Amino acid sequence: MASTAGFSSATDMGTPYAHSRTRLLWVAAAIVGAGYGVFLIVTALRLPSGAELTGQFALQPAVKALTAVLLAVAALTHPIARERRWLIAALLFSAAGDFLLAMPWWQPSFVLGLAAFLVAHLCFLAALIPLVSRSGPRLAAAAVMVLACVALLVWFWPRLLAEGMAVPVTLYIAVLGAMVCAALLARLPTPWTALGAVCFAVSDGMIGIGKFVLAPTNTEALAVPIWWAYATSLVLITAGFFFGRASVPSATSAKCRRPRQQAEHEPIARVLPMLSVPHLDREFDYLVSAEQSDDAQPGVRVRVRFHGRLVDAFVLERRSDTDHVGKLGLVGPRRVGRAGAHPRRAPARRRRGRALRGHPRRRVAAGRPAAARQRRKANRP
């Protein structure tokens, strides 16, 4: 069952959002990408004009894919589970596309690389769609992107028909345009992901120009700027997801002035509030502070803030991450006193009570005199 974040009122956690290993691997990926870009510049200056820049050493495809692989490893510690899954998949497919496009001597490499990047764009799109928020400037930027994609497709069209690539390239440009538009509309605190998506489109546009406009005479003319635009796009897209966002926010009392630290181990508590509303009989995620970490254990009854009021809830499990994007409420103090119904039995018990409330036998039994019921009970063998 999908969980929902607890309703909260306000102050954010003061802890860093990105894990230290994420920052380290992100910096390493940026350095590797820049290093490979410098290698391409040196190689282009050393070789004759128009010479192939790939195939210079045996491990060049692996080195080219290393930037995306490092970013995928960095995404392993991304705190939002839904985004983490799509980012890892997108970066791994991007690495596969890099590896394939670094082998131009293999005939199917371009089509397979195109397919790998198509899947990568779909994964990026899946990570961005829940963050989309419409506004005038963002919609205008997305409209400009759509016009640019249409213009590229019209420019490439005669060559696409001649080479039989009209359908796959049209599909690719449509998915690329959708991904960039989603990035431009994404509700993120920094513009890095949007800028990175635009750089990705610029890189792919230059690949198309080299393949369908400049080929076969000057295919490698744009190889160096293609790599720099592409490597920048991956670094910026991931930077927008990794950095500049608050840690998992929490709700604290208005009287509390100091930010409360989240629990170091499994800071998310999945709880079941004791509510009388049937459609809210489901699980919610709340943040556990360091002070409440020992008390907020599975099976314990706690207090949580739900729609502005304190309610009782049972802790079902402790987790290290959450699927929710947004603010999480803070688990309150442990509830001492009557244990109450088991959290898993309470919804079923309420449903049975509602179902039997209007049953004919129940109504008849409620209207019978107590003495008659006792006589009948005494006459039973």
Side-chain angles (χ1 to χ4, degrees), residues 337-348:
R338 185 171 61 88
H342 189 277
R344 290 296 185 190
R345 296 175 185 169

Side-chain angles (χ1 to χ4, degrees), residues 126-180:
L128 289 166
I129 282 178
L131 303 175
V132 167
S133 176
R134 290 180 294 178
S135 66
R138 292 176 179 179
L139 289 173
V144 171
M145 185 64 218
V146 171
L147 292 176
C149 289
V150 172
L152 276 178
L153 189 60
V154 171
W155 191 13
F156 299 160
W157 195 252
R159 190 69 176 270
L160 293 177
L161 292 177
E163 296 187 12
M165 296 287 290
V167 173
V169 173
T170 301
L171 178 62
Y172 183 87
I173 289 178
V175 173
L176 172 65
M179 187 274 290
V180 178

Side-chain angles (χ1 to χ4, degrees), residues 46-327:
R46 180 173 54 86
L47 296 177
S49 178
E52 189 73 47
L53 300 184
T54 54
Q56 299 300 311
F57 57 96
L59 295 178
Q60 187 171 354
V63 173
K64 184 179 180 182
L66 185 58
T67 299
V69 171
L70 287 173
L71 291 174
V73 177
L76 288 173
T77 51
H78 186 59
I80 301 176
R82 179 192 56 77
E83 292 181 1
R84 181 173 66 243
R85 289 191 292 266
W86 291 117
L87 282 176
I88 292 173
L91 292 165
L92 289 178
F93 276 106
S94 296
D98 289 335
F99 192 93
L100 290 167
L101 292 182
M103 299 186 296
W105 57 87
W106 187 36
Q107 186 64 29
S109 65
F110 180 79
V111 176
L112 293 177
L114 192 73
F117 278 115
L118 176 67
V119 177
H121 290 318
L122 289 172
C123 293
F124 279 129
L125 182 62
L128 289 166
I129 282 178
L131 303 175
V132 167
S133 176
R134 290 180 294 178
S135 66
R138 292 176 179 179
L139 289 173
V144 171
M145 185 64 218
V146 171
L147 292 176
C149 289
V150 172
L152 276 178
L153 189 60
V154 171
W155 191 13
F156 299 160
W157 195 252
R159 190 69 176 270
L160 293 177
L161 292 177
E163 296 187 12
M165 296 287 290
V167 173
V169 173
T170 301
L171 178 62
Y172 183 87
I173 289 178
V175 173
L176 172 65
M179 187 274 290
V180 178
C181 289
L184 292 171
L185 296 172
R187 187 180 63 258
L188 288 168
T190 64
W192 306 130
T193 296
L195 291 175
V198 171
C199 288
F200 213 136
V202 170
S203 172
D204 285 348
M206 287 190 290
I207 291 176
I209 292 172
K211 178 74 175 176
F212 302 116
V213 177
L214 300 179
T217 58
N218 205 7
T219 307
E220 292 295 305
L222 300 175
V224 174
I226 285 172
W227 171 258
W228 280 98
Y230 166 71
T232 302
S233 72
L234 291 186
V235 171
L236 290 179
I237 288 174
T238 52
F241 281 101
F242 294 162
F243 310 119
R245 301 165 82 179
S247 162
V248 184
S250 70
T252 58
S253 170
K255 297 180 181 180
C256 182
R257 299 299 180 185
R258 296 176 59 189
R260 302 179 69 179
Q261 301 294 321
Q262 68 182 27
E264 294 183 1
H265 179 64
E266 294 183 338
I268 307 300
R270 183 154 290 178
V271 307
L272 182 67
M274 296 293 99
L275 304 170
S276 59
V277 184
H279 70 274
L280 292 178
D281 281 340
R282 63 177 186 269
E283 302 164 356
F284 294 84
D285 284 353
Y286 281 79
L287 192 68
V288 180
S289 66
E291 294 83 356
Q292 298 293 338
S293 181
D294 293 336
D295 290 337
Q297 297 300 323
V300 171
R301 190 176 183 178
V302 295
R303 299 280 278 173
V304 296
R305 187 167 293 279
F306 193 90
H307 267 310
R309 61 190 181 96
L310 287 173
V311 299
D312 290 350
F314 282 93
V315 179
L316 301 179
E317 61 175 322
R318 292 281 295 274
R319 301 168 59 89
S320 58
D321 54 28
T322 178
D323 294 333
H324 180 75
V325 181
K327 293 184 178 180

